């Protein structure tokens, strides 16, 4: 009887202890943390959630402007990317948040960058081009922006081929903008370095001696061919204004290399460090009908191609193997998904982020956004975006990390 009473007493004591601990936990709040610890905790909160948490109290709202909080945020190695979406009329007020897999509106966006089009992105920043061909650097999350000094005027006969961007996640206001222009036979570079605040002198690239794959099209000549439907088609690529300078800037063995597409769809590599360029072998003949884009996945250049063959369409991802100088397929959309694009004359605009590629597929008949994981060859169609109960169609996207600490 005594033992039973003791056991009952022990159970009751444990229950009282558990209740007391629960009461203590319920009393504890983040307000009891000192400022330094609070900032370190909030730094790990996803950007969208933090924006909501700022409404909790004045103290939490003031954290956003704290210099030490921005330092704490910079210690976070990486954040799930957001994609700034560009609509049919070049409106840019919607982002896709991969951390919560949902569309979001950034209402301040159109107030800051009127009459601009995004052309490149890196880290937490996006580069916009104005109607006067100048450039603006902005942080879409905070709305901060900076107008770059005008680049020295070039001849009207010189064509701008690529606008590439690279930023350092560890250094504030550390980014470079690289312009590639002139004719393919004599490419020229111009670099803006944020650390100096100036455009460097233009740099003329030489064609790599061992490169024998150049198409021989030194200018902007257009090749015409007859399509399967009997139509006369121009081989020159027609890109939307936000992707007409589609390119990626990759650091390879400590050297900066810019990859972009020529007007006929071949991949051009410009080694900024060694000051040379060359053309990769073509994936498809110049007279083929297809849509192509170049992306950066974890520091590697990949090519995405939408083409038609044997009464069907295919969407595939390719890697160039330098050993045998040949393109190798690494991922392909399932046929039951890609067949929908057959006969639609669709165009693709892509952006890479980590192991994933975000693909916008558009034609006059439909619009779709797809995410591809190139490691496991998984393809997911994103949900439709609705504004005021109306579906929104997007032509391109630009990847950036939602970082409050990144300045321009």
């Amino acid at each position: 009887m005594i033992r039973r009473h003791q056991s009952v007493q022990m159970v009751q004591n444990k229950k009282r202890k558990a209740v007391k601990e629960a009461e203590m936990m319920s009393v504890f709040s983040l307000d009891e943390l000192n400022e330094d610890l609070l900032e370190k905790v909030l730094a790990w909160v996803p950007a969208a959630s933090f924006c909501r948490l700022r409404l909790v109290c004045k103290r939490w709202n003031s954290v956003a402007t704290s210099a030490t909080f921005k330092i704490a945020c910079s210690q976070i190695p990486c954040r799930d990317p957001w994609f700034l979406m560009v609509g049919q009329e070049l409106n840019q007020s919607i982002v896709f948040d991969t951390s919560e897999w949902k569309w979001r509106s950034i209402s301040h966006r159109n107030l800051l960058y009127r009459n601009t089009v995004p052309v490149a992105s890196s880290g937490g920043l996006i580069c916009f081009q104005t109607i006067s061909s100048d450039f603006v650097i902005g942080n879409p999350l905070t709305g901060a922006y900076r107008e770059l000094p005008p680049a020295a005027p070039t001849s009207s006969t010189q064509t701008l081929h690529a606008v590439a961007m690279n930023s350092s996640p560890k250094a504030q206001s550390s980014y470079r903008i690289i312009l590639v222009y002139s004719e393919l036979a004599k490419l020229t570079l111009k670099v803006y370095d944020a650390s100096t605040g100036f455009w460097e002198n233009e740099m003329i690239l030489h064609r790599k001696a061992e490169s024998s794959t150049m198409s021989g099209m030194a200018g902007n000549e257009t090749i015409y061919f007859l399509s399967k439907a009997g139509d006369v088609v121009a081989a020159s690529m027609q890109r939307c204004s936000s992707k007409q300078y589609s390119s990626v800037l990759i650091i390879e063995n400590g050297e900066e290399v810019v990859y972009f597409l020529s007007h006929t769809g071949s991949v051009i590599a410009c080694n900024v460090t060694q000051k040379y360029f060359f053309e990769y072998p073509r994936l498809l003949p110049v007279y083929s009908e297809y849509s192509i884009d170049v992306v950066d996945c974890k520091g590697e250049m990949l090519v995405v191609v939408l083409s038609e063959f044997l009464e069907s369409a295919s969407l595939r991802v390719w890697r160039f193997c330098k050993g045998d100088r040949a393109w190798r397929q690494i991922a392909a959309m399932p046929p039951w998904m890609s067949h929908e694009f057959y006969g639609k004359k669709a165009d693709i605009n892509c952006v890479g982020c980590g192991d994933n590629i975000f693909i916008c597929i558009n034609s006059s008949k439909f619009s779709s956004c797809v995410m591809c994981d190139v490691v496991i060859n998984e393809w997911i169609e994103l949900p439709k975006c609705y504004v005021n109960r109306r579906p929104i169609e997007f032509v391109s996207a630009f990847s950036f990390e939602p970082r409050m600490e990144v300045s321009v």
Side-chain angles (χ1 to χ4, degrees):
M1 188 72 180
I2 295 177
R3 289 181 179 178
R4 182 180 179 184
H5 176 75
Q6 288 177 340
S7 62
V8 171
Q9 189 70 27
M10 290 176 63
V11 171
Q12 290 178 345
N13 290 338
K14 288 181 178 180
K15 288 184 177 179
R16 292 194 192 99
K17 185 178 180 181
V19 170
K20 186 175 292 186
E21 289 177 351
E23 290 175 349
M24 292 177 64
M25 290 296 293
S26 64
V27 172
F28 175 78
S29 69
L30 289 177
D31 290 335
E32 296 183 10
L33 296 177
N34 60 46
E35 201 70 17
D36 181 62
L37 193 55
L38 176 64
E39 291 175 352
K40 290 182 178 180
V41 171
L42 293 180
W44 284 93
V45 176
S49 300
F50 179 76
C51 292
R52 293 192 294 266
L53 290 176
R54 291 181 62 179
L55 303 177
V56 172
C57 61
K58 291 183 179 179
R59 183 189 180 196
W60 288 19
N61 184 52
S62 64
V63 167
T65 59
S66 168
T68 53
F69 173 68
K70 292 181 179 180
I71 294 176
C73 288
S74 66
Q75 303 303 312
I76 309 301
C78 62
R79 295 190 183 275
D80 292 329
W82 285 11
F83 293 91
L84 177 67
M85 308 303 299
V86 181
Q88 295 282 4
E89 298 179 357
L90 301 183
N91 53 304
Q92 307 140 44
S93 59
I94 303 293
V95 296
F96 185 75
D97 179 357
T98 60
S99 64
E100 299 185 11
W101 205 254
K102 65 186 298 184
W103 302 101
R104 299 190 179 281
S105 173
I106 44 177
S107 57
H108 63 259
R109 170 62 191 83
N110 289 328
L111 298 177
L112 294 177
Y113 317 124
R114 291 189 179 94
N115 301 318
T116 63
V117 176
V119 290
S121 64
S122 179
L125 299 174
I126 292 182
C127 177
F128 302 84
Q129 186 180 36
T130 68
I131 56 176
S132 58
S133 297
D134 293 326
F135 296 96
V136 176
I137 303 299
N139 182 333
L141 182 64
T142 64
Y145 71 101
R146 176 185 178 187
E147 298 179 0
L148 302 187
T154 59
S155 169
S156 58
T157 60
Q158 293 179 325
T159 303
L160 180 61
H161 297 288
V163 180
M165 182 178 183
N166 185 36
S167 64
S168 172
K170 297 182 180 180
Q172 292 292 316
S173 299
S174 177
Y175 54 87
R176 285 161 61 87
I177 306 295
I178 299 180
L179 309 181
V180 183
Y181 57 93
S182 194
E183 307 302 334
L184 288 181
K186 190 179 180 181
L187 290 178
T188 305
L189 295 182
K190 181 161 289 188
V191 180
Y192 175 83
D193 193 332
S195 62
T196 63
F198 296 101
W199 290 94
E200 300 175 0
N201 294 330
E202 65 179 23
M203 177 193 314
I204 298 178
L205 305 182
H206 67 272
R207 185 183 301 179
K208 194 173 182 180
E210 60 266 30
S211 176
S212 59
T213 61
M214 291 298 292
S215 62
M217 295 182 61
N220 293 324
E221 299 91 342
T222 300
I223 294 178
Y224 295 91
F225 63 93
L226 202 63
S227 70
K228 293 183 295 183
D231 301 322
V232 176
V233 179
S236 296
M237 297 177 57
Q238 302 295 323
R239 306 302 298 268
C240 67
S241 56
S242 65
K243 296 292 286 186
Q244 60 181 323
Y245 309 125
S246 181
S247 57
V248 293
L249 174 56
I250 297 177
I251 307 300
E252 298 180 354
N253 300 320
E255 300 177 350
E256 288 182 316
V257 182
V258 176
Y259 295 93
F260 69 93
L261 297 171
S262 71
H263 66 282
T264 59
S266 60
V267 179
I268 308 293
C270 298
N271 190 307
V272 180
T273 307
Q274 299 294 334
K275 300 181 181 179
Y276 68 79
F277 73 97
F278 64 92
E279 182 179 2
Y280 278 84
R282 299 188 64 88
L283 259 167
L284 294 173
V286 69
Y287 51 80
S288 301
E289 292 184 79
Y290 62 94
S291 181
I292 183 173
D293 207 353
V294 59
V295 298
D296 169 17
C297 283
K298 283 192 171 180
E300 180 182 26
M301 184 273 293
L302 301 177
V303 168
V304 185
V305 178
L306 173 62
S307 61
E308 295 185 2
F309 183 69
L310 295 178
E311 306 302 321
S312 184
S314 68
L315 184 57
R316 304 169 186 268
V317 183
W318 301 80
R319 171 190 290 126
F320 187 77
C321 296
K322 296 182 180 179
D324 53 6
R325 293 192 55 79
W327 293 97
R328 303 297 181 191
Q329 176 184 306
I330 62 171
M333 176 180 279
W336 64 269
M337 292 181 67
S338 61
H339 183 69
E340 178 187 3
F341 314 140
Y342 178 71
K344 304 292 180 58
K345 296 184 178 181
D347 181 39
I348 59 170
N349 291 304
C350 315
V351 58
C353 185
D355 292 325
N356 295 285
I357 301 177
F358 192 106
I359 307 171
C360 294
I361 310 168
N362 293 274
S363 77
S364 59
K365 301 178 181 179
F366 79 101
S367 175
S368 178
C369 294
V370 177
M371 189 82 77
C372 168
D373 187 320
V374 296
V375 175
I376 60 177
N377 193 28
E378 181 181 46
W379 300 74
I380 301 176
E381 184 175 7
L382 272 60
K384 289 289 185 182
C385 176
Y386 290 88
V387 175
N388 298 325
R389 298 183 178 181
R390 297 182 60 183
I392 304 298
E393 296 184 351
F394 301 109
V395 296
S396 62
F398 291 82
S399 171
F400 69 97
E401 289 190 40
R403 289 187 171 273
M404 299 193 64
E405 75 276 14
V406 174
S407 59
V408 296

